[in-house]
Amino acid sequence: MRPSLAAGIVCAGLLAGCTVGPDFLRPDPPRDKSYLSDPAADATVAVPDVLGGEAQRFVTDLDIPAQWWQVYQSRAMNGLIEQALRANPDIQSAIQGLKAAQAMAQAQRAALFPLVTASGSGTHNQQSSAISPIPSNGATIFGLFTGLLNVTYLLDLWGGTRRAAESLEAQAEAQCFVLEAAYLTLSSNVVVAAVAEASLRGQIAATERTIAIQRESLALLQRRLAIGQSSRADVAAQETALAQSESSLPPLRNLLSQQRHLLAQLTGRTTAHVPAETFELSGLALPVELPVTLPSRMVEQRPDIRSAEAGVHAAGAQVGVQTAALLPQVTLGLGYGSTATSLDTLFSDTLGPTMTVGAGVVHTLLDGGALFAQRKAAIAAWEQSKAQYRSTVLTAFRNVADTLRALEFDAMTLQAAANAERSARLSLDITRRRQTAGDAGILEVLNAELTYQQASLALIQARAARFADTAALFQALGGGWRNRDPDGKAGPARRATCKAPTNPPKPQPWPDSKTQNQPDPPAPTPRDDIMPAATNGGAPTPAKPARGLWSWLTGGS
């Protein structure tokens, strides 16, 4: 007797217990202790006397707060992210996708229990007198009424039903992490959009300062031209430089408008209802302590990796489903009820019950190889999911490594940009004084103005890059979803699991048209929207989360 047949007989004798197909084993995380091939810096360089020039220290395994964006200490940003989490349709879509996946898993689990149905029928019959009549009274015209309670149960001898439930539960888990990834992506996008807006406002202000300087120079040259101390060529050259600077303003304002529209979209509004909040780089705090999660732990907290891992689990269980389909399927059946020739005697004590008990076996003998092909397809899909998991892990490593390097170089870029802006400003001041004294030619003035404008823009962009790449690091490490549940923090012996939100907010209606086309409020005074200063050794202290928003994310009330 072949071993597989012997195993099948044992399973059939026990009427359960065997589960064909591979059992899920969690993929081993990479064994690397670092994301970079060469030693990483412990901290970035500091740029004194520049807003956003603080040195950032990389702290190994520093815990990431659930509301990680509060490290920027901006109430306006916190409010926008809360609005986005409530109203963004991508979040609503992910929530409904999770509900659908959970319902499908629940429906499949129901197949593990007997199916109980009730049936009834009533017919009026006339039978030929040439054959023996069916009723005991010999009547050829009679009624026939039947009421039955039917119980059927598919014996899960090979574990196919359990594997199907396991697969759908893993798919629901994957969808739960898709929702977590949507939370993380949305909050990161709001942060980056706010930083981009702040950068553009700074670039517009710097360009306007340059234009004001160029207009002063033009007015000086025009006065000198009037008294014969300057040439028309010098005036034309200054007019050209002024026009070029003015032409750079509309594209910047267009980009700012696009960022405002993006923030409206992210917060679930139409572009006719841009948020009232505005952002300036001076209104954001740069966190001085940055987490660097160990690679083995990063794999545990990145939602996309956990979703890919659940996909491997689901695909492996499908191999078991297709394997079980190759084996005989046994169904037990029970029917119990009553049959009578009149409705008033149905279920009467004078009549005996109608009962059927039996079992059926179905086994596919010839199907052109369809079942074997389906099993091969399931195995291939399983291997594909493993490759996708590895690809997701590799992408995560690259994201973290790129961001760590970017933060180091951002600080160096800011240092160089600050030095360049300082020198360009000094050079412009000296050149303008020389121009006033008649000791500087127009080319010197134009070159100094252009250099200062470029240096000012580069400094603003370098400052903004530090804020944006800080958000990219939090996103690359997976955010702080694990810390939303104070009682569910993972430790050495406990792995964080994804929890579906309870009572999530309902889809938001379209904004009231009466509030359309309202002008933006004036830009906030620098740092007037900053939260209280940090008290834990320089690291920002996140504010306590708003209960109304986070209760449905954490599963609390």
Side-chain angles (χ1 to χ4, degrees):
M1 182 179 294
R2 291 180 299 175
S4 59
L5 181 58
I9 293 175
V10 172
C11 287
L14 296 176
L15 294 181
C18 278
T19 306
V20 296
D23 292 328
F24 175 67
L25 295 176
R26 221 165 56 202
D28 292 330
R31 298 178 182 178
D32 299 281
K33 301 299 182 182
S34 173
Y35 300 98
L36 302 171
S37 56
D38 51 342
D42 294 330
T44 65
V45 298
V47 186
D49 303 324
V50 176
L51 285 175
E54 299 89 342
Q56 292 182 298
R57 295 190 302 108
F58 299 108
V59 183
T60 302
D61 267 357
L62 178 67
D63 216 12
I64 302 176
Q67 298 175 338
W68 58 266
W69 53 87
Q70 290 192 350
V71 298
Y72 292 102
Q73 299 184 16
S74 169
R75 289 193 180 94
M77 183 183 292
N78 297 343
L80 271 188
I81 291 177
E82 289 192 6
Q83 293 175 36
L85 292 176
R86 288 182 183 277
N88 187 278
D90 292 338
I91 297 295
Q92 296 290 336
S93 174
I95 289 174
Q96 298 307 318
L98 173 58
K99 288 183 177 180
Q102 290 175 327
M104 291 296 295
Q106 183 179 5
Q108 182 59 45
R109 285 195 297 271
L112 294 170
F113 299 93
L115 176 65
V116 181
T117 62
S119 63
S121 65
T123 60
H124 185 72
N125 308 276
Q126 181 175 354
Q127 193 168 356
S128 172
S129 59
I131 59 177
S132 299
I134 292 178
S136 59
N137 58 10
T140 58
I141 298 177
F142 57 91
L144 187 62
F145 299 91
T146 302
L148 291 175
L149 182 69
N150 304 289
V151 180
T152 58
Y153 180 57
L154 175 64
L155 289 179
D156 192 23
L157 297 179
W158 321 111
T161 304
R162 281 169 284 165
R163 288 297 192 197
E166 179 185 350
S167 177
L168 289 174
E169 287 169 354
Q171 291 178 33
E173 182 184 13
Q175 188 62 40
C176 187
F177 283 111
V178 168
L179 175 58
E180 290 293 350
Y183 291 146
L184 178 59
T185 301
L186 177 60
S187 55
S188 300
N189 287 345
V190 173
V191 171
V192 172
V195 170
E197 177 187 327
S199 174
L200 288 167
R201 289 187 186 277
Q203 293 177 58
I204 290 172
T207 303
E208 289 174 341
R209 287 194 300 270
T210 302
I211 290 174
I213 292 172
Q214 290 175 332
R215 284 174 178 169
E216 291 177 4
S217 297
L218 178 60
L220 176 62
L221 289 173
Q222 288 173 338
R223 289 195 299 271
R224 288 189 171 181
L225 177 63
I227 60 177
Q229 293 182 353
S230 181
S231 67
R232 185 70 186 92
D234 291 347
V235 174
Q238 185 65 50
E239 288 175 340
T240 301
L242 175 60
Q244 289 176 341
S245 296
E246 289 176 337
S247 68
S248 66
L249 268 181
L252 289 174
R253 287 173 175 156
N254 179 49
L255 290 174
L256 177 60
S257 176
Q258 291 177 4
Q259 289 301 315
R260 301 292 294 163
H261 296 162
L262 175 59
L263 284 172
Q265 177 192 355
L266 293 174
T267 53
R269 314 176 192 185
T270 62
T271 51
H273 301 269
V274 294
E277 296 85 351
T278 58
F279 298 94
E280 303 279 351
L281 288 176
S282 59
L284 302 176
L286 186 72
V288 297
E289 289 188 344
L290 296 178
V292 182
T293 307
L294 290 174
S296 58
R297 189 177 176 192
M298 182 272 292
V299 170
E300 295 284 331
Q301 65 188 36
R302 281 260 306 209
D304 56 343
I305 294 179
R306 293 292 297 273
S307 179
E309 178 187 309
V312 175
H313 189 177
Q318 279 298 317
V319 175
V321 173
Q322 297 302 327
T323 303
L326 295 170
L327 302 171
Q329 307 298 312
V330 179
T331 304
L332 304 180
L334 169 66
Y336 186 88
S338 176
T339 301
T341 56
S342 62
L343 190 60
D344 57 344
T345 60
L346 190 65
F347 298 111
S348 171
D349 293 337
T350 60
L351 300 177
T354 298
M355 184 170 61
T356 58
V357 178
V361 180
V362 176
H363 182 53
T364 301
L365 298 178
L366 183 64
D367 64 352
L371 289 177
F372 283 100
Q374 290 171 4
R375 185 174 183 274
K376 288 181 179 179
I379 293 174
W382 184 34
E383 296 298 330
Q384 180 187 25
S385 68
K386 293 178 184 178
Q388 290 171 341
Y389 171 83
R390 291 180 60 85
S391 176
T392 304
V393 171
L394 292 175
T395 300
F397 266 71
R398 180 175 61 82
N399 292 156
V400 178
D402 289 348
T403 308
L404 290 175
R405 280 292 184 236
L407 287 166
E408 291 182 37
F409 293 127
D410 284 346
M412 298 178 187
T413 302
L414 179 63
Q415 186 179 51
N419 292 335
E421 191 273 342
R422 190 179 302 111
S423 299
R425 185 172 65 249
L426 177 61
S427 175
L428 178 60
D429 291 341
I430 294 173
T431 304
R432 292 188 68 200
R433 287 197 296 269
R434 290 178 56 204
Q435 182 188 31
T436 303
D439 189 34
I442 186 61
L443 293 181
E444 292 180 82
V445 175
L446 293 179
N447 183 63
E449 290 174 347
L450 178 60
T451 302
Y452 175 68
Q453 181 183 20
Q454 292 174 342
S456 298
L457 296 179
L459 177 61
I460 294 167
Q461 292 167 355
R463 290 176 58 199
R466 299 197 76 189
F467 290 103
D469 286 335
T470 296
L473 178 62
F474 282 105
Q475 183 178 13
L477 293 174
W481 63 270
R482 301 159 62 254
N483 294 324
R484 278 208 304 269
D485 181 6
D487 299 324
K489 290 185 179 181
R494 183 175 182 182
R495 192 183 195 215
T497 57
C498 186
K499 293 186 178 181
T502 57
N503 301 319
K506 297 180 180 179
Q508 300 294 307
W510 296 116
D512 187 357
S513 60
K514 294 180 181 180
T515 62
Q516 289 189 13
N517 302 321
Q518 295 295 323
D520 286 348
T525 304
R527 307 199 69 81
D528 68 353
D529 60 340
I530 299 300
M531 298 175 66
T535 58
N536 55 344
T541 303
K544 185 177 180 180
R547 187 175 184 83
L549 171 66
W550 293 101
S551 60
W552 63 267
L553 284 178
T554 59
S557 57

